[in-house]
Amino acid sequence: MLVIDDEPLVRLVVREALSASGWRVAEAAGGEEAWELISQERPDLVLLDLRCSGGEELLARLRGKVPVVVMTGDEEAAQGLGVEVLLKPFDLDKLRKLVRSKLSGI
């Protein structure tokens, strides 16, 4: 799984929470770095901060190729995206349940 967020603390907290539940988590600060990681190893799920550098472009490139969950604090921007949305700030238990349900559907 790949976590993409421009905030290092968010990446750390998400990575730690999901790693503690047994998932392998890679991270990237923005779209360009994320695309390099995705090109090397296709993740089974992407958690994407829509407002990070290149976030919207990356979402368009990933659509239909990899399951994506958008993490954002902007509820309006999240409307109509056609993907699962996790509004910031989010509860870590909710995050784990969402990830579990997305990965079990693969």
Side-chain angles (χ1 to χ4, degrees):
M1 150 178 2
L2 177 59
V3 177
I4 308 161
D5 198 302
D6 56 350
E7 296 180 44
L9 184 57
V10 171
R11 290 194 314 268
L12 173 69
V13 169
V14 170
R15 185 188 75 229
E16 291 294 318
L18 296 177
S19 294
S21 295
W23 288 296
R24 191 172 63 85
V25 181
E27 51 183 281
E32 189 173 314
E33 179 185 359
W35 193 250
E36 287 180 31
L37 289 171
I38 291 166
S39 298
Q40 295 170 12
E41 183 180 328
R42 183 177 170 182
D44 48 4
L45 178 65
V46 172
L47 301 170
L48 172 64
D49 174 10
L50 192 61
R51 296 295 182 210
C52 74
S53 170
E56 291 182 25
E57 179 185 335
L58 187 59
L59 177 59
R61 292 174 83 176
L62 294 175
R63 198 174 293 280
K65 296 177 179 138
V66 176
V68 177
V69 173
V70 167
M71 304 181 297
T72 184
D74 186 351
E75 191 170 357
E76 282 187 41
Q79 294 177 353
L81 290 176
V83 296
E84 189 85 35
V85 175
L86 187 60
L87 290 175
K88 291 179 180 180
F90 48 81
D91 177 76
L92 292 177
D93 285 331
K94 184 176 181 178
L95 169 68
R96 285 187 282 267
K97 286 177 187 174
L98 177 59
V99 166
R100 193 173 299 114
S101 80
K102 295 301 278 186
L103 292 177
S104 68
I106 294 175

